[in-house]
């Protein structure tokens, strides 16, 4: 027994330790599971994709300034169809009376009344996420419940709750599909509970540890569990199949577990590298949502591997008797017919594939990518988007553009507002310099003491004193030493000075004056919060153009040009959905090339070390990359666009994950090729690989199609749809074209084979050798397989052994051969 243990490989020793210490691992995983389950609520979900923009982009810079300096109050466009003007006026008054509503705009112009449709522009007292604003919006909806009403607003829109509900349904359906597939491809019914326990633990560990990142995106949070299931279920399947094979070979459950785990650790670790390499490329995106998704999914794969390596062996031991009792016959059909058909078409399909690849390259390069989810051709739209589109169909689009300039002088702002307002497609312009406080009088207009007295209701004598004090405060001494009645100052500045002096007790107002000043103060406060910050001013424009396209791009450049006549270019910042789309487009052009090149490079490097051949990685990567190009040709062929994030995410995952299908077939083919003819090896390789590819591929594609078919979020839905379609495309090519290329490229593979470890090549003339490893060659006949024991006789073979040495009784000649 001592002699056997000395010859054990490190993997056997590790596997034996894990199996024998399984109760300790039960305890570790139980504690980790409880901790992670309780930590899920600590994970902060980020619903704003703009926070992942590179900090140097104009949109990110502008949004940061707005968050620091301004308050954005909630608004809503409420459209009611099939009403007359008198009814609309009544509804307007009712909406104005709702607590939390600060103002409602409605008149008989075409901006608010078209045919039998009325549009109410509602402003709230709080921000969009303020509880008061949400309550007011709910009351408005309740008020209009008997009308044909549509609301376009961000107030009360909580996509997190909707996504959580949708993903719960998706996960439930996916689990049903997984159970059916696993029952179909398993050898024992009790394998399935083991799979489910392992996945549940791995998923909870991953979700519960996401709090270490501070926050994760709503996209990552929504799809991580389903993708973790689809990407990592292979690991449990590989290990369990190995275990069942060892049991079938006559080993007891404990020894079968040890033997299966020792082989599965290397196989699973190698398989995970290609997936992680694709996610690593995703993490290098300029748009940091790629890092967010890549790091969470990579952690999910790590959690899955640890659960399989450390928890699953104990579960297999725990359920070993039940697994034996619930064995069933193999339900997966044999597909020799498919392999024979593939061999028969070996001179036809590869040329067609090459043509399809070239066409895919051309067509995918013409794919129309969009960078605003509102413009994506996604069939399953949420309720809020359908309502918004109804409003836009009747009253036109509203594309809001914010212009940030340094807070300096109101005359420059007024000039910009007037020039931009005259531009085509600009329907409104708002800034402090064009807020009307009286007929023909703007908030920033310069007023004399008498005009200010008339407006504010403050006594003229007090106004003169106020103007003199204001002049002294801003070091304009003409107000003191010259005629104060001829001195003028901006209305907003004098009014703020008046409020300041009132609060200090310097100025005392009558009750009537106080009431009028309080009304003006309330109106002023709303404007200042939204339009003036400590260092910056905000001008807000509305355009009747789509958020993407040449027209809006030209309009943005015109606005920028006008602003740069008054301010230096570096002090002009444009912010809005359109600028966000253009910034995303700029980062996409770089990320697109980076991810495509790095994913292929990472995977080819891993394949080079895996197969020790320069030719094989090219064939495998060409197959999967071809499926990616074909996948992203579909939008062009169907005349639809595609949300840009779908390409970046799916291309990396499709390459990293579905390359495993190609690896499975290639490994089988190479093993069989040493014993069979090329054609027979292809038929057998496809037949033996089919259960693994069927299980993994079905789960991945179904998960993708479920996400795409159920979710109402265009970002997540387009990722799911393209992932499902890409997986099916990869499976088809791997099961048809790849075996044909392996068969036709047999000589290329042989000639490009490389040996990276020269020490592993040992040849023996004759004698006795003890080994534990792989032998391929002639041993008084031909042998190719895993061998453990002692060989006696003539050996002329390539040996890969975990333990090898000649026996001591060998003669001196054999010892000399060994030393060489």
């Amino acid at each position: 027994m001592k002699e056997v243990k000395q010859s054990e490989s490190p993997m056997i020793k590790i596997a034996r330790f894990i199996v024998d210490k399984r109760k300790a691992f039960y305890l570790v995983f139980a504690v980790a599971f409880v901790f992670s389950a309780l930590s899920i609520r600590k994970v902060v979900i980020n619903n704003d994709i703009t926070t992942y923009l590179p900090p140097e982009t104009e949109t990110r810079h502008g949004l940061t300034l707005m968050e620091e300096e301004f308050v954005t109050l909630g608004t809503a466009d409420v459209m009611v169809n099939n009403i007359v003007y008198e009814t609309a006026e009544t509804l307007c008054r009712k909406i104005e009376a709702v607590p939390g509503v600060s103002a409602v705009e409605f008149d008989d112009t075409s901006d608010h009344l078209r045919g039998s449709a009325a549009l109410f522009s509602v402003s709230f007292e709080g921000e969009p996420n303020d509880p008061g604003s949400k309550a007011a919006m709910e009351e408005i909806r309740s008020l209009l419940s008997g009308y044909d009403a549509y609301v376009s607003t961000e107030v009360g829109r909580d996509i997190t709750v909707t996504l959580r509900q949708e993903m719960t349904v998706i996960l439930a359906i996916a689990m049903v599909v997984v159970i059916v597939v696993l029952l179909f491809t398993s050898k024992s019914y009790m394998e399935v509970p083991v799979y489910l326990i392992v996945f549940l633990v791995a998923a909870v560990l991953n979700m519960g540890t996401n709090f270490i990142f501070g926050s994760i995106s709503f996209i990552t949070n929504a799809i991580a569990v389903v993708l973790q299931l689809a990407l990592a279920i292979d690991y449990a399947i590989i290990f369990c199949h190995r275990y069942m094979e060892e049991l079938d070979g006559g080993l007891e459950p404990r020894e079968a577990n040890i033997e299966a785990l020792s082989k599965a650790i290397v196989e699973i670790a190698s398989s995970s590298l290609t997936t992680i390499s694709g996610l690593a490329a995703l993490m290098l995106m300029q748009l940091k949502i790629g890092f967010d998704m890549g790091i969470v999914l990579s952690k999910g794969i790590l959690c899955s591997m640890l659960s399989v390596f450390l928890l699953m062996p104990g579960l297999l031991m725990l359920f070993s008797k039940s697994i034996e009792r619930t064995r069933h016959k193999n339900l997966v059909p044999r597909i020799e017919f498919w392999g024979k058909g593939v061999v028969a078409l070996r001179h036809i399909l590869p040329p067609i594939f090459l043509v399809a690849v070239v066409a895919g390259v051309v067509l995918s390069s013409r794919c129309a990518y969009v960078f605003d989810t509102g413009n994506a051709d996604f069939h399953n739209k949420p309720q809020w988007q359908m309502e918004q589109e109804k409003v836009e169909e009747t009253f036109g689009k509203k594309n809001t553009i914010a212009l940030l300039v340094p807070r300096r002088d109101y005359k420059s702002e007024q000039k910009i507002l007037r020039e931009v307002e005259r531009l085509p497609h600009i329907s409104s312009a708002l800034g402090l310099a064009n807020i009307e406080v009286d007929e023909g009088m703007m908030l920033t207009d310069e007023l004399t003491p008498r005009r200010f007295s008339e407006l504010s209701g403050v006594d003229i004598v007090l106004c003169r004193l106020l103007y003199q004090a204001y002049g002294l405060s801003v070091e304009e001494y003409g107000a003191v030493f010259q005629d104060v009645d001829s001195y003028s100052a901006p209305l907003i500045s004098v009014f703020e000075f008046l409020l300041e002096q009132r609060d200090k007790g310097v100025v005392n107002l009558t009750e009537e004056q106080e009431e009028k000043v309080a009304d003006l103060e309330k109106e002023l406060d709303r404007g200042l919060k939204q339009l003036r910050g400590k260092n910056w001013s905000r001008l807000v424009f509305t355009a009747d153009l789509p958020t993407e396209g040449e027209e809006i791009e030209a309009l943005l450049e015109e606005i920028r040009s006008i602003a740069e006549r008054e301010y230096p270019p570096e002090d002009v910042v444009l912010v809005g959905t359109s600028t966000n789309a253009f910034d995303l487009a700029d980062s996409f052009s770089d990320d697109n090339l980076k991810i495509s090149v790095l994913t292929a490079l990472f995977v080819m490097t891993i394949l080079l070390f895996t197969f020790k051949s320069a030719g094989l990685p090219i064939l495998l990567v060409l197959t999967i990359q071809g499926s990616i190009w074909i996948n992203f040709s579909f939008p062009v062929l169907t005349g639809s666009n595609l949300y840009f994030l779908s390409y970046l995410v799916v291309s990396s995952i499709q390459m990293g994950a579905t390359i495993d299908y190609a690896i499975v077939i290639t490994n089988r083919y190479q093993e069989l090729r040493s014993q069979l003819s090329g054609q027979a090896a292809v038929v057998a390789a496809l037949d033996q690989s089919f259960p693994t590819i069927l299980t993994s591929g079905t789960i991945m594609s179904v998960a993708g199609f479920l996400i795409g078919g159920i979710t109402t979020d265009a970002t997540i839905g387009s990722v799911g749809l393209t992932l499902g379609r890409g997986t099916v495309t990869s499976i088809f090519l791997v099961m048809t074209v790849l075996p044909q290329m392996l068969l036709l490229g047999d000589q290329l593979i042989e000639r490009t084979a490389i040996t990276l470890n020269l020490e592993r090549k040992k040849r023996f003339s004759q004698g006795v050798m003890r080994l534990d490893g792989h032998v391929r060659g002639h041993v008084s006949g031909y042998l190719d397989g895993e061998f453990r024991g002692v060989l006696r006789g003539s050996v002329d073979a390539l040996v890969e052994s975990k333990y090898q040495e000649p026996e001591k009784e060998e003669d001196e000649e054999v010892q000399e051969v060994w030393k060489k």
Side-chain angles (χ1 to χ4, degrees), residues 140 289 612 733:
I140 292 172
I289 199 167
K612 302 176 182 67
L733 293 181

Side-chain angles (χ1 to χ4, degrees), residues 178-192 194-195 198 233-251 253 255-265 267-268 308 312-313 316 323-324 327-332 664 668 687-697 699:
V178 167
I179 292 171
V180 171
V181 171
L182 292 177
L183 286 172
F184 185 71
T185 58
S186 64
K187 293 183 178 180
S188 168
Y189 294 121
M190 276 305 294
E191 289 179 38
V192 178
V194 174
Y195 288 134
V198 170
I233 194 70
D234 281 357
Y235 308 152
I237 292 171
I238 288 171
F239 178 35
C240 197
H241 282 185
R242 284 281 189 186
Y243 172 72
M244 297 303 289
E245 286 173 7
E246 297 298 338
L247 285 179
D248 292 341
L251 293 179
E255 291 304 317
N257 216 337
I258 293 169
E259 195 68 30
L261 183 59
S262 67
K263 296 174 181 177
I265 288 175
E267 189 174 351
I268 291 169
V308 169
M312 192 170 178
L316 290 175
I323 289 173
E324 280 299 315
R327 278 180 175 264
H328 59 79
K329 66 178 183 179
N330 187 11
L331 302 176
V332 181
V664 168
R668 291 284 185 179
D687 184 57
Q688 293 176 21
S689 303
F690 179 62
T692 302
I693 295 175
L694 173 68
T695 306
S696 179
I699 293 171

